[in-house]
C-alpha cells in the first residue's frame, strides 16, 4: 500500500575463503563488524561472536571450526526480494545484486524496519479513521474490537476503554452485528440498513480483512441516519387531513378551468382501483388531491399512508416500502417491521417524488403492481396486500426515461391516469378563496377571532408569484394568524419577501438599484432558510417542504446567500 523505505544494510564486512586460519579471522573481526566466509556456501561471523572463534586454534582453518560448531549458513538474497524470499533470520542475511555484495542485514535491523513501517501504516489508518464522519469499527477474527473511533464513541455512547479488546457481542446483540456475518461469510456489505440497538439507525459498509485467502478480521463504517429517521417520523406524525372525509373534493374549490378539468378527472377515477400519477410543482396540492381521490373512492375506509422518496435515504427506502423481516431461533427474537404497502392494506399508499426512487426498488414495485404481492426485505413469506398506489413527481419523468434512470414498464403502469395540477401563479382567481379558507381554518386551530384581510394586503398576495404554491400560501396565512392580535391583517404584516416583490415592480428608471429595505429582506430570508435547514438536520428536500418552496428554488437561494 505504501512504498517501503530501503533496509539499513551494514557495509562493514570483509570476505575470506574457507581455508583462512582462525588467527586471521580474529584479526579481521577487530577491523570489521562481519567476516563473510565464502566457499560455495556463505557463513557470516559477527564481531560479537569473537569469543567462539577464539576457542579454536589459531592455525585451524575457519571451515573446520565452523563445521565443528555446526554454524548455520546465511541466506543470500537480492535487495528486491528480501520480503518475498524465504529467509532464515537465525543468521545475518547477505544482500547482493548481480555483480557485488551490497551489505549485511541482521534480524534486529529487519524487525526495526518492520516496526517503523507498522507505525507508519497505523498512523495513516488512525488519521483516516478519525477524519471521516462515519463510525469505524475493526474486529479481529475472534470478534474482538481492535479499533473504535471517536464518531463510534459519540454514536453508541461507548468509550474506547470499555470496548477495545472486548468481543463486540458483549455490547450488541450478536445477531444484529453485521461484522459477525462478515467473519463467517467473507462477503462485503454495501449501503445496508442496520439497527444495532433500538435507538440507533445506521447505513453500513463492511468488508472482511483477508491475508492469503484467510479472514483475519473485519472493518465496518457506519453512517448514523438516526436524525433522518426521526425527521421522517416527525413528518409522518405531523401529516394532517387536508380534505374533508365526507365530501373531499369540495375542499378544493377553484375558478381555474384547467384545475377544474383536473378535478373532474380525479373524481371519475376515484372509484376505479387503478394507479394514478400526479404531476405539478412542489406545494401545488398533490397530496391534497391524492387524499381527495382516496376519501372520494372505494377505499375510503382504509388507511391513507404517504411515503416521500426524497426524504428517506435510498438504502432504507426498500425497507420503508416493503418492510423488514429477520427470522431468528425463537419467535420472541423475530425482528419485524411492517412496510408502508402493508400499512395501507385495503387503502391507499401515496408515493411522493417517485422520480427519486432507485431503479432496483422500482423493479420490485413493478412486480408488486403485477400481482399485488411482495416479499419483505429478508423475509421468505410472500405477502399479499391489495393497496391502491398513487404517485407524484415534481420533475418530468420523460427526461429520466430517456436517460434510462426510470423503469419504463413501471411508468406505463403508474401513468394510466396522469393528472397535472397547475401552479398557483397561473390560477390567481383561486388565491382570494384560499386565503379566506385558511384564515378560518387557522383561527379555529389557534382559538382566535377570524381577522379581516385589508384590500391592499389581498392585492399584494394576488400579485405575488407563490413559487412554493399552495403550501407556501398556507404557511404564510398560518404565520400571520398566529402573530396577529388585531381585527384586521394589513399589508405591513405580510412577510417581507412578499412585500418586496411589489416594491421592486414599482421602481421606475432605477434598473439595477437595490433598495436598503429590500437588502434587509434578503437577510431575513437567509436567516429563515438557515433555521429551516437546522430544523431538518440539513436535509434540503425536507427544508424546502418546510419553507413551502421547491428544491430548485431552495438550492438557488442557498447559492445566492452563500449558505453552503
Amino acid at each position: 500500500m505504501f512504498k517501503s523505505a530501503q533496509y539499513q544494510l551494514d557495509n562493514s564486512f570483509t570476505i575470506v575463503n574457507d581455508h583462512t586460519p582462525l588467527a586471521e579471522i580474529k584479526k579481521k573481526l577487530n577491523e570489521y563488524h562481519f567476516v563473510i566466509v565464502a566457499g560455495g556456501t556463505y557463513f557470516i561471523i559477527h564481531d560479537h561472536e569473537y569469543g567462539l572463534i577464539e576457542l579454536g586454534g589459531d592455525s585451524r582453518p575457519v571451515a573446520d571450526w565452523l563445521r565443528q560448531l555446526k554454524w548455520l549458513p546465511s541466506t543470500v538474497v537480492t535487495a528486491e526480494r528480501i520480503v518475498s524470499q524465504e529467509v532464515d533470520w537465525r543468521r545475518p542475511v547477505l544482500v547482493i545484486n548481480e555483480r557485488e555484495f551490497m551489505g549485511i542485514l541482521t534480524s534486529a535491523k529487519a524487525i526495526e524496519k518492520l516496526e517503523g513501517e507498522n507505525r507508519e501504516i497505523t498512523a495513516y489508518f488512525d488519521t483516516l479513521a478519525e477524519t471521516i464522519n462515519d463510525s469505524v469499527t475493526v474486529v479481529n477474527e475472534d470478534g474482538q474490537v481492535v479499533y473504535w473511533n471517536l464518531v463510534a464513541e459519540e454514536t453508541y455512547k461507548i468509550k474506547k476503554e470499555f470496548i477495545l479488546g472486548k468481543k463486540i457481542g458483549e455490547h450488541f446483540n450478536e445477531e444484529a452485528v453485521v461484522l459477525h456475518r462478515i467473519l463467517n461469510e467473507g462477503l462485503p456489505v454495501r449501503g445496508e440498513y442496520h439497527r444495532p440497538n433500538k435507538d440507533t439507525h445506521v447505513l453500513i459498509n463492511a468488508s472482511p480483512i483477508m491475508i492469503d485467502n484467510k479472514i483475519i478480521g473485519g472493518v465496518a463504517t457506519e453512517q448514523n441516519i438516526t436524525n433522518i429517521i426521526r425527521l421522517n417520523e416527525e413528518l409522518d406524525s405531523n401529516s394532517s387531513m387536508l380534505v374533508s372525509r365526507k365530501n373531499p373534493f369540495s375542499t378544493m374549490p377553484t375558478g381555474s378551468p384547467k384545475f377544474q378539468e383536473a378535478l373532474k378527472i380525479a373524481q371519475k377515477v376515484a372509484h376505479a382501483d387503478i394507479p394514478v400519477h400526479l404531476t405539478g410543482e412542489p406545494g401545488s396540492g398533490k397530496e391534497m388531491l391524492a387524499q381527495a381521490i382516496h376519501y372520494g373512492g372505494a377505499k375510503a375506509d382504509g388507511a391513507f399512508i404517504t411515503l416521500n422518496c426524497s426524504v428517506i435515504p435510498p438504502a432504507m427506502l426498500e425497507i420503508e416500502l416493503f418492510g423488514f423481516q429477520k427470522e431468528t431461533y425463537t419467535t420472541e427474537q423475530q425482528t419485524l417491521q411492517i412496510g408502508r404497502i402493508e400499512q395501507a392494506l385495503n387503502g391507499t399508499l401515496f408515493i411522493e417524488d417517485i422520480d427519486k426512487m432507485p431503479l432496483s426498488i422500482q423493479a420490485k414495485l413493478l412486480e408488486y403492481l403485477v400481482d399485488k404481492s411482495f416479499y419483505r426485505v429478508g423475509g421468505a413469506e410472500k405477502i399479499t396486500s391489495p393497496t391502491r398506489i398513487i404517485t407524484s413527481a415534481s420533475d418530468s419523468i420523460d427526461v429520466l426515461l430517456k436517460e434510462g434512470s426510470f423503469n419504463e414498464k413501471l411508468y406505463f403502469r403508474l401513468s394510466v391516469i396522469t393528472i397535472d395540477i397547475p401552479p398557483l401563479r397561473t390560477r390567481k382567481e383561486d388565491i382570494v378563496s384560499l386565503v379566506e379558507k385558511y384564515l378560518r381554518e387557522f383561527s379555529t386551530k389557534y382559538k382566535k377571532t377570524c381577522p379581516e384581510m385589508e384590500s391592499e394586503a389581498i392585492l399584494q398576495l394576488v400579485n405575488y408569484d407563490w413559487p412554493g404554491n399552495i403550501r407556501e400560501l398556507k404557511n404564510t396565512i398560518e404565520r400571520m394568524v398566529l402573530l396577529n392580535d388585531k381585527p384586521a391583517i394589513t399589508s405591513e404584516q405580510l412577510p417581507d419577501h412578499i412585500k418586496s416583490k411589489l416594491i421592486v415592480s414599482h421602481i421606475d428608471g432605477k434598473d439595477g438599484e437595490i433598495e436598503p429595505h429590500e437588502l434587509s429582506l434578503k437577510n431575513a430570508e437567509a436567516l429563515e432558510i438557515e433555521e429551516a435547514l437546522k430544523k431538518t438536520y440539513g436535509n434540503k428536500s425536507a427544508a424546502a417542504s418546510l419553507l413551502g418552496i421547491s428544491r430548485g428554488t431552495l438550492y438557488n437561494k442557498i447559492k445566492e446567500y452563500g449558505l453552503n
Side-chain angles (χ1 to χ4, degrees), residues 333-359:
Q333 290 179 314
Q334 189 179 57
T335 302
L336 179 65
Q337 179 178 330
I338 301 299
R340 305 293 175 93
I341 288 180
E342 279 184 89
Q343 292 173 33
L345 177 67
N346 293 317
T348 300
L349 174 62
F350 175 47
I351 304 177
E352 298 183 77
D353 292 335
I354 195 169
D355 46 305
K356 302 299 185 293
M357 180 181 285
L359 275 170

Side-chain angles (χ1 to χ4, degrees), residues 10-15 32-36 94 101-104:
D10 195 318
N11 296 306
S12 176
F13 65 88
T14 186
I15 304 171
Y32 300 95
H33 292 158
F34 299 94
V35 172
I36 301 173
L94 179 59
F101 297 105
M102 297 179 64
I104 292 170

Side-chain angles (χ1 to χ4, degrees), residues 318-442:
E318 184 178 3
I319 291 174
E320 286 292 325
L321 186 58
F322 298 103
F324 176 79
Q325 185 170 10
K326 182 178 181 182
E327 300 290 348
T328 52
Y329 297 110
T330 66
T331 306
E332 290 75 16
Q333 290 179 314
Q334 189 179 57
T335 302
L336 179 65
Q337 179 178 330
I338 301 299
R340 305 293 175 93
I341 288 180
E342 279 184 89
Q343 292 173 33
L345 177 67
N346 293 317
T348 300
L349 174 62
F350 175 47
I351 304 177
E352 298 183 77
D353 292 335
I354 195 169
D355 46 305
K356 302 299 185 293
M357 180 181 285
L359 275 170
S360 59
I361 305 176
Q362 290 177 29
K364 190 169 179 178
L365 178 60
L366 175 61
E367 291 176 4
Y368 165 74
L369 290 172
V370 171
D371 62 2
K372 294 294 184 179
S373 61
F374 62 93
Y375 293 95
R376 300 187 187 107
V377 176
E381 177 190 359
K382 199 165 190 179
I383 308 298
T384 300
S385 179
T387 300
R388 181 177 196 168
I389 302 295
I390 300 178
T391 58
S392 76
S394 297
D395 300 318
S396 173
I397 293 183
D398 291 337
V399 176
L400 301 178
L401 289 171
K402 291 176 182 177
E403 295 174 350
S405 54
F406 199 90
N407 190 305
E408 188 176 42
K409 292 181 180 178
L410 174 63
Y411 178 64
F412 291 148
R413 278 196 172 267
L414 294 175
S415 59
V416 174
I417 300 294
T418 298
I419 303 174
D420 182 61
I421 303 176
L424 188 55
R425 64 179 173 275
T426 65
R427 45 190 179 104
K428 298 282 189 180
E429 58 269 70
D430 291 344
I431 291 177
V432 175
S433 60
L434 286 170
V435 168
E436 292 174 348
K437 173 181 180 295
Y438 292 135
L439 283 174
R440 292 192 300 271
E441 179 180 321
F442 293 118

Side-chain angles (χ1 to χ4, degrees), residues 122-138 147-152 160 219-221:
T122 300
Y124 276 107
F125 176 79
D126 287 348
T127 304
L128 173 63
E130 296 296 348
T131 300
I132 63 177
N133 292 325
D134 297 345
S135 302
V136 176
T137 308
V138 183
Y147 195 88
W148 185 259
N149 74 344
L150 288 173
V151 179
K160 292 181 181 180
V219 60
T221 62

Side-chain angles (χ1 to χ4, degrees), residues 170-316:
E170 293 182 27
H171 289 275
F172 302 96
N173 179 355
E174 288 199 13
E175 291 188 0
V177 178
V178 172
L179 281 172
H180 278 299
R181 193 202 322 161
I182 296 295
L183 294 177
N184 292 330
E185 300 176 2
L187 299 175
V189 167
R190 295 292 179 266
E192 181 173 309
Y193 170 67
H194 182 47
R195 196 170 182 177
N197 57 49
K198 65 183 181 66
D199 298 319
T200 309
H201 304 260
V202 299
L203 293 180
I204 185 169
N205 293 312
S207 297
I209 303 171
M210 311 278 289
I211 292 182
D212 296 330
N213 292 322
K214 180 185 176 184
I215 299 173
I216 65 162
V219 60
T221 62
E222 299 173 353
Q223 179 189 1
N224 189 350
I225 58 170
T226 305
N227 284 341
I228 297 175
I229 299 302
R230 288 175 181 166
L231 170 63
N232 185 48
E233 290 171 351
E234 289 173 15
L235 291 175
D236 284 345
S237 63
N238 290 333
S239 67
S240 57
M241 279 291 297
L242 303 175
V243 298
S244 165
R245 280 177 179 265
K246 290 185 178 180
N247 195 358
F249 288 100
S250 66
T251 315
M252 309 173 71
T254 179
S256 164
K258 189 173 181 182
F259 194 30
Q260 286 175 349
E261 183 62 29
L263 291 177
K264 285 179 184 177
I265 297 172
Q267 286 176 294
K268 289 178 181 179
V269 301
H271 285 274
D273 190 9
I274 58 174
V276 176
H277 183 62
L278 307 178
T279 62
E281 294 180 0
S284 57
K286 295 188 289 292
E287 184 176 0
M288 184 183 294
L289 186 56
Q291 282 191 13
I293 293 171
H294 170 71
Y295 290 111
K299 292 185 178 288
D301 293 332
F304 178 85
I305 303 294
T306 65
L307 176 70
N308 193 322
C309 297
S310 64
V311 173
I312 301 171
M316 266 207 65

